[in-house]
Amino acid sequence: MSRDKDFKEFYESSLKPDLEIIDRERRKVNTRIITIIAFTAVAISLEIILIPSEAEMLKGIIPFLTGFAGLVVTGVVSKDYRKEYKNKIIARISGFLDEKLIYTPGGSVSFQDFLKSEIFPLRCDQFKGEDHFRGKIGRTDIEFSEVTAKHKNTSHNGSNQKDEYITIFKGLFIIADFNKHFKTHTLVLPDTAEKLFGKFGQTLQSVGTGKRKLVRLENPEFEKEFCVYGEDQVEARYILTPSLMERILAYRKKWDSRISLSFCDSKVYIAINMNKNLFETRLFKPLTDYDFIEENLRFLILITEIVEDLNLNTRIWTKD
Amino acid sequence: MLYLILAIIVFAFLVIIILYNSLIRKKNDVENAFASVDVMLKKRYDLIPALVDAVKGYMNYEKDLLKEITELRVRALSDNLTGEERVKIENKIRKDLADILVAVENYPDLKANQNFLKLQGAINETEEQLAASRRAYNAAVTVFNNAVEVFPSNVMASMMKYERKTLFDIPESEKVKPDISPLS
């Protein structure tokens, strides 16, 4: 394929010289980190040996704090190196794919947009995002970033209050302009109930979520994978045409992951669960490895292909 | 013993109320969905004169087609139509609309006309909304038909003289699967 060949050339001529410089930095950082780990390990061992066993509290807290400090210092030491890799390498891979795609390593899709999608029913108390991309593919505006959202669960045990953070979403969050106008909100969520309980699951789903009612669609495979809730039965079907249902199914298979979609304000919000941290550098292996660098491009292609996959550039309706 | 009989009576009464209400709700859903099909059909009728006006100055070889669709619209709007006749007319209108939009390909000036493009967008939108409302109607009818046929609600349904309702035929063109081969 020509894009593969072009990227190989781009890698050799443009990325590799910079990667070699960054890789020298990696080796330095690597040595520093190994030294920090060694020092931290020695310090923890000494603390355990030297702190008298009567001071039980200290024996637990001090080694813990030392370990934590070691971790923080490791992060600080490698921060510039990670930043340089993202600014010099990932930004240029993004430019190679599409010049109009703007990459902000520390940016994120907005918390308001995340909330507006209403994909996750649990209240979000902690929201973090990185690796934000924004651009226009054909006639479709698109933005996406990695997102981690957590819910704070507070439990009371007598007078003690314990806060625990539960991850409600970790993965990629994509926002794309949809090709049709619509007024109501439609949710397409992974169908856990029907997969687990079959027909009984369907009954469970029909309870609905507040103002949204279950929308039963005629594609059995789609119904098995997803559960649709909409405020308007007709508009939900206007969005989810038989063709779009097939496309969403294919897109889900492509990612082989849990995917949720929300259609609101004439936009589509897509949450793809993922444990892998994308667009990150590595410390203990050389960076000048073509496959490692090319993987970033493959992920970017996979994400941006959503526009083609869901046929978002087709504008045969009244929306420009 | 008396309590047991009373409990059975109350229980039976509750079941009857639940079945009755649920059937009424399902019937209303069907009527509601049918009304939304009607709304979309009216939107389609409103667009036909505008379309005929926009294309008649350009199209020389499709005069008969334009005349036919105008007549069909008048017939569709008349009140004395049986259900079957109406379905036939709607199908014919859909086919004629599609034919006109295909014929536009032969007239580059028309294809470049901004007003026509807007109108074409509105027609595509209405056709897809119409398809969506038909599908919503079919979904509501399927739920209603299940209730009419499944025990114990079928007993109540026959007492209420509810009968199975007929589904809309979804045209083949709306069932066509998209070409998503590049994905695999």
Side-chain angles (χ1 to χ4, degrees):
Chain A
M1 272 164 71
S2 113
R3 180 148 64 185
D4 286 352
K5 201 173 148 242
D6 289 349
F7 187 70
K8 183 95 189 163
E9 275 171 26
F10 176 71
Y11 170 81
E12 292 292 342
S13 64
S14 177
L15 295 180
K16 208 172 173 187
D18 275 339
L19 275 169
E20 277 163 0
I21 297 168
I22 301 172
D23 201 55
R24 279 203 285 278
E25 185 62 22
R26 178 191 68 83
R27 269 176 267 154
K28 277 187 214 160
V29 172
N30 194 351
T31 319
R32 276 183 223 143
I33 284 178
I34 290 172
T35 317
I36 293 164
I37 293 172
F39 268 110
T40 314
V42 170
I44 291 175
S45 315
L46 284 175
E47 283 159 8
I48 292 171
I49 297 164
L50 295 177
I51 296 172
S53 52
E54 298 85 61
E56 242 179 66
M57 271 266 282
L58 288 179
K59 208 166 180 127
I61 290 172
I62 291 183
F64 173 76
L65 286 179
T66 313
F68 183 71
L71 211 67
V72 172
V73 176
T74 317
V76 172
V77 165
S78 61
K79 196 180 167 197
D80 288 345
Y81 154 69
R82 290 203 312 263
K83 211 167 143 188
E84 200 181 352
Y85 170 78
K86 287 191 174 189
N87 283 336
K88 287 199 172 153
I89 306 300
I90 302 296
R92 274 153 66 198
I93 295 175
S94 154
F96 171 82
L97 181 68
D98 191 328
E99 292 176 336
K100 284 182 244 153
L101 206 59
I102 298 161
Y103 172 58
T104 320
S108 162
V109 294
S110 78
F111 182 45
Q112 284 75 14
D113 280 332
F114 181 79
L115 291 182
K116 199 191 268 176
S117 75
E118 292 185 36
I119 291 174
F120 305 98
L122 273 180
R123 189 188 67 238
C124 176
D125 298 302
Q126 199 185 71
F127 179 86
K128 268 193 246 165
E130 61 169 358
D131 297 316
H132 181 251
F133 296 81
R134 179 195 291 273
K136 194 163 187 154
I137 294 168
R139 297 164 77 174
T140 307
D141 287 315
I142 186 169
E143 63 167 311
F144 52 91
S145 77
E146 287 184 295
V147 162
T148 308
K150 289 181 179 173
H151 168 74
K152 189 165 85 175
N153 196 12
T154 310
S155 56
H156 296 273
N157 186 5
S159 60
N160 287 338
Q161 183 180 310
K162 199 179 153 201
D163 290 342
E164 190 189 0
Y165 281 90
I166 306 160
T167 304
I168 49 178
F169 174 68
K170 184 178 184 319
L172 257 178
F173 198 81
I174 307 172
I175 306 171
D177 189 28
F178 198 63
N179 50 10
K180 291 176 185 169
H181 284 297
F182 48 83
K183 293 188 192 96
T184 57
H185 196 154
T186 302
L187 282 176
V188 180
L189 305 175
D191 198 338
T192 324
E194 197 170 329
K195 266 189 190 157
L196 286 176
F197 308 114
K199 277 278 164 202
F200 176 65
Q202 262 190 6
T203 318
L204 276 180
Q205 297 161 353
S206 59
V207 174
T209 56
K211 57 188 171 176
R212 280 178 217 118
K213 296 274 175 291
L214 181 72
V215 180
R216 287 215 172 104
L217 296 165
E218 56 278 43
N219 182 331
E221 201 190 341
F222 189 84
E223 275 291 293
K224 220 162 114 191
E225 292 287 342
F226 298 102
C227 174
V228 180
Y229 293 100
E231 289 166 19
D232 183 323
Q233 294 281 327
V234 175
E235 199 162 70
R237 287 176 176 86
Y238 174 57
I239 297 165
L240 293 162
T241 58
S243 148
L244 189 70
M245 283 191 274
E246 291 290 340
R247 287 175 183 278
I248 292 173
L249 274 174
Y251 194 69
R252 201 210 72 80
K253 275 185 200 143
K254 205 166 153 182
W255 278 97
D256 194 21
S257 179
R258 204 180 151 85
I259 290 186
S260 319
L261 298 97
S262 164
F263 296 87
C264 142
D265 278 349
S266 296
K267 282 182 187 165
V268 52
Y269 299 77
I270 306 159
I272 304 170
N273 285 59
M274 203 187 284
N275 280 322
K276 189 179 166 72
N277 196 353
L278 303 175
F279 313 114
E280 291 302 319
T281 180
R282 59 186 185 186
L283 268 176
F284 302 106
K285 279 183 185 171
L287 295 180
T288 46
D289 169 1
Y290 179 71
D291 290 339
F292 173 70
I293 298 300
E294 197 225 6
E295 193 186 35
N296 294 298
L297 177 73
R298 276 193 282 121
F299 267 112
L300 272 179
I301 293 172
L302 192 61
I303 300 163
T304 50
E305 265 175 356
I306 182 81
V307 174
E308 282 305 314
D309 292 350
L310 299 192
N311 205 18
L312 299 180
N313 274 335
T314 300
R315 303 284 165 137
I316 58 166
W317 301 279
T318 53
K319 193 170 174 190
D320 287 329
Chain B
M1 188 64 186
L2 184 69
Y3 286 121
L4 183 69
I5 293 168
L6 258 177
I8 291 171
I9 292 171
V10 170
F11 179 73
F13 194 62
L14 273 176
V15 169
I16 289 170
I17 292 175
I18 291 169
L19 287 178
Y20 179 82
N21 286 350
S22 135
L23 276 166
I24 294 279
R25 246 178 246 124
K26 282 167 186 144
K27 182 198 66 136
N28 288 346
D29 282 349
V30 171
E31 282 171 5
N32 200 13
F34 189 75
S36 76
V37 176
D38 241 13
V39 170
M40 295 308 163
L41 283 174
K42 291 219 167 65
K43 263 178 95 176
R44 181 201 255 177
Y45 300 150
D46 291 345
L47 286 168
I48 292 172
L51 177 70
V52 172
D53 271 352
V55 301
K56 69 180 175 196
Y58 296 87
M59 291 186 166
N60 301 317
Y61 302 104
E62 290 84 6
K63 295 273 189 225
D64 290 345
L65 190 61
L66 299 180
K67 200 175 152 204
E68 185 182 80
I69 200 168
T70 313
E71 283 167 8
L72 284 170
R73 176 182 176 268
V74 175
R75 278 174 62 197
L77 285 169
S78 67
D79 291 333
N80 51 353
L81 278 180
T82 65
E84 208 171 310
E85 279 171 338
R86 193 164 172 188
V87 170
K88 270 187 190 164
I89 291 173
E90 296 306 340
N91 287 343
K92 193 83 186 62
I93 290 180
R94 188 179 55 232
K95 196 183 161 294
D96 284 1
L97 268 177
D99 286 348
I100 292 172
L101 294 180
V102 169
V104 168
E105 296 298 318
N106 300 325
Y107 302 93
D109 290 352
L110 185 57
K111 262 173 71 184
N113 182 323
Q114 279 303 314
N115 285 339
F116 172 75
L117 287 177
K118 270 190 190 154
L119 191 61
Q120 191 182 30
I123 291 170
N124 285 336
E125 201 162 277
T126 310
E127 288 304 301
E128 213 148 293
Q129 280 166 342
L130 189 56
S133 54
R134 275 205 212 99
R135 286 163 59 214
Y137 174 80
N138 279 359
V141 168
T142 307
V143 173
F144 177 82
N145 285 350
N146 285 343
V148 167
E149 290 185 341
V150 167
F151 182 81
S153 54
N154 62 345
V155 180
M156 181 56 106
S158 70
M159 281 160 70
M160 293 161 80
K161 297 204 168 53
Y162 280 2
E163 283 176 0
R164 269 183 67 90
K165 289 182 187 288
T166 322
L167 296 168
F168 269 126
D169 283 335
I170 302 289
E172 281 305 311
S173 57
E174 284 168 22
K175 289 187 203 159
V176 173
K177 285 193 173 189
D179 175 19
I180 43 176
S181 44
L183 294 186
S184 45

